[in-house]
Each structure stands twice: as C-alpha cells, then as structure tokens.
Amino acid sequence: LEAADNEVAELGTDIAALTALKSLDVANNQLKELPAALADCPRLKEANFRGNQLKDKRLEKMVNGWDGGDGEQDELEEASKLLVKVLHVSENPAPLVVKASPGVRDVRPFIVCCVLKGVDLKPGNALKRFLSAQTKLHEDICEKRTAATIATHDLHLIKGPLTYDVQPPDELKITPLGRKEVKAKDLLRQLQLEAEEQRKQKKRQNVSGLHKYLQLLDGKDNYPCLLDAEGSVISFPPITNSEKTKIRKDTRDLFLEVTSDTSLQICKDVMDTLILKIAELNRFTLENKEGSGSDNESDALCGPANLNPSQNVQPVNFPLVVEQVRVVDTDGNLKVLYPSKTDLATVSSLLTVTR
C-alpha cells in the first residue's frame, strides 16, 4: 500500500482487516499516532512512517532516523528500546475483570493480571522459546515458584469475567496441560507417584517438572484457582494451567496472570519482567528470519525482508499493547489495577512505555 505524500491524518483500526498487507508506505503525511491495530496485520514486514509529526517524539525519532552526531547517543538508545503501549481500562470497550473472593486471603491472597496483544509465536521456534523463557522465570525471579507463579493463557479461549477463588482439593477439577480432567487431590496423588517413580528410575533425590512444586500446597485445606465465566478452572497455582486456554503457535493475544502468597509487589515485579521478556522474544522473532512451524508457509510472519535503503523503508517495530486488567472484591471495590502509572518502572531502562 503506497500512500506517501497524501495528507493522510489518521490510520484507522480497520487497517487490521488488511490481512494480506506486506508493505506500507505512508511517509510525509499528517499522522499523529500509529494505531495498535497495525500489530494485527499478520504479514506486514516493512513500513515507512518518515516525515510524520508523531506525538510520541521518541517513536518519531526512531522512524525518521538520526544524524548520529555527538550528544544524540542517549536519544538513540532511548528510542531504540522495546516499545510497549498501555491501553487504559477506560479506553477498552470490553475490559476483562477478575473478581477475588474473600477465601483467597488465607491461601494465596495476591494476584495481578493483564492482557498482552500482538505477540508472534508462529515462526520457527518462537513458541518453544516463549515456553522456555517462562520456565526460566519460574526458576529465577519466581524462586522456584515459592515467591510467585506465572500463568499464560490464549486470550481468545477465555470467557470473562474471571473469578479468583479457593476450592477444597476433592472439589476442584481441572484439565491440566496434556492430561485429562481430574480432581486436584487426585492430580497431586498422581504427581506424587510419578515423582517416586522418577526417583527410583534415576536413583537420585531431585525430581523435575510439576513434581517439584507439590510441597507448596502442603497443609492447605483449600486450593487457589482461577475460574472463567462458565465455572471452568483455567489455572491452579502454583501447579498448572488448563488445557482449555493453552497457548499455541497461532496465539497472538495473551492473558497473563501472576499469583503469590508473599506480596503484591512481587507479583508486579514478576509481571514487569514477564512483559519485558515477551517483548524481547517478539523482537527477536521479527529480526531473525525463521521458517514457519505451520503447514502453510504463506501464513508465517518471517521477519523483515532485505530492504532497499534508497526506499527509506524500515523493519516493523510495532509496540506490544498491554491492556489494563482490574482485580476487584466481591462488592466491586478495586483491589489492584495493572499496569498502573507506577508499574513497568523496574524495566524502564529497557522498555519505552507509551500511556
């Protein structure tokens, strides 16, 4: 689509309907903002936004380039950060809400959630890298899930509003990732037996996978869980997610959840780091050509093509969009909103956040 020098003042959200769009040239127009809907154009590989007076001056500098003179290094570093745009809950026509029941207070009281749109998990090993990064975060910043637990879901497989609640072990039912529906007490028994078998086969004390986290529920009369509008358990922290909301290669929009029995701030710090890691993985996917893992190669977004410098066309670097999610009590009173104005500060040296 070539629309340079046309006094275009706005790109509407309808641009997401251009699913076959590969190249976009809207240089030297009157654009003030770039719509987040550009992230929903699955085949868009190159774009030219030069010569537009964008409100976000850091983004404007990035799309227009720099002279590289002395004193501009700080500006260059600032503008080359990963981009994340926060969509305020008041701007969202149908924001997700999580209702927290009083029972979680004595079991696992802290939960922080948000929606992240515009990820690309289709090419090559992108999904594998995403899952590996989550495992590493559980080991490191989550301190082997003792400080906090991460759960990631396919947003479009979730029916809201959601409820964060507790249930007795013999009543809580979940379809764990890769398993059939089971009661929580039976799942833990299965995992315990598998752990014992692992120890016998490998003749060592350490066990892997979910088996490492069984002791985190010792002594609890009720287990924490996140339920969808149909009453299905989609998350059973700190043990497992549900197969119902499993992330796959074609997932583009995520629902992110972090829970803790330690503190709310730990949940926020972990969420900040998770968003940063996903942004890094997304840029890596865009910048490195990979074959698609899907059967239809034409559906894959393989990253920037070799560009002709004389065309002043740049690789796409659209922001991920973070939608705020409110956690409220049963009376509707706000308990936590993420991301608030003060959130994402822990990763501000690596992210440029537009609000």
Side-chain angles (χ1 to χ4, degrees), residues 56-76:
D56 187 329
K57 296 306 176 187
R58 289 171 295 189
L59 182 58
E60 183 181 13
K61 285 176 181 173
M62 189 169 70
V63 301
N64 287 312
W66 303 265
D67 295 332
D70 293 339
E72 294 191 352
Q73 184 62 32
D74 290 343
E75 292 181 344
L76 187 147

Side-chain angles (χ1 to χ4, degrees), residues 102-313:
V104 301
R105 192 179 301 118
D106 301 322
V107 179
R108 195 174 184 87
F110 306 108
I111 182 169
V112 166
C113 304
C114 69
V115 166
L116 187 64
K117 291 188 170 182
V119 300
D120 185 17
L121 301 174
K122 187 172 282 190
N125 292 316
L127 177 58
K128 185 177 180 180
R129 282 194 297 270
F130 172 84
L131 298 174
S132 296
Q134 188 173 324
T135 299
K136 193 171 189 307
L137 289 175
H138 270 144
E139 290 295 306
D140 297 338
I141 189 172
C142 295
E143 300 177 20
K144 294 182 167 54
R145 302 198 193 188
T146 58
T149 303
I150 296 165
T152 54
H153 309 267
D154 186 321
L155 176 67
H156 298 290
L157 300 177
I158 285 180
K159 293 181 173 63
L162 303 174
T163 303
Y164 185 47
D165 203 357
V166 294
Q167 293 184 2
D170 58 350
E171 292 182 16
L172 194 161
K173 289 183 178 180
I174 186 171
T175 304
L177 292 169
R179 297 173 183 255
K180 295 180 180 178
E181 186 181 64
V182 64
K183 290 181 178 179
K185 69 171 186 177
D186 295 329
L187 174 62
L188 265 61
R189 187 181 299 118
Q190 288 175 17
L191 292 171
Q192 193 65 54
L193 291 172
E194 291 171 9
E196 293 299 327
E197 189 62 30
Q198 268 191 30
R199 289 191 184 96
K200 289 178 183 177
Q201 289 181 357
K202 298 183 178 180
K203 296 182 180 179
R204 62 185 187 190
Q205 290 300 310
N206 294 332
V207 292
S208 60
L210 298 179
H211 314 91
K212 295 184 290 186
Y213 310 117
L214 299 180
Q215 77 280 0
L216 299 178
L217 292 173
D218 285 351
K220 295 192 184 296
D221 296 327
N222 290 298
Y223 291 164
C225 56
L226 189 64
L227 302 100
D228 65 11
E230 298 176 338
S232 299
V233 174
I234 63 170
S235 178
F236 171 27
I239 303 299
T240 185
N241 296 9
S242 170
E243 185 75 20
K244 183 175 182 179
T245 56
K246 180 179 179 179
I247 290 174
R248 294 173 170 81
K249 273 186 170 288
D250 60 355
T251 299
R252 287 191 61 82
D253 302 332
L254 308 175
F255 177 75
L256 307 179
E257 157 211 342
V258 178
T259 60
S260 173
D261 60 3
T262 305
S263 80
L264 180 64
Q265 191 58 50
I266 286 176
C267 289
K268 291 189 169 193
D269 291 346
V270 170
M271 187 68 86
D272 287 356
T273 307
L274 176 61
I275 290 172
L276 171 63
K277 178 54 65 175
I278 295 173
E280 290 174 342
L281 291 172
N282 221 43
R283 183 161 72 177
F284 180 88
T285 298
L286 283 170
E287 291 179 348
N288 293 270
K289 286 188 175 183
E290 294 184 291
S292 171
S294 66
D295 293 332
N296 187 349
E297 290 290 335
S298 65
D299 288 340
L301 176 61
C302 296
N306 291 326
L307 307 177
N308 182 348
S310 65
Q311 295 176 329
N312 287 329
V313 178

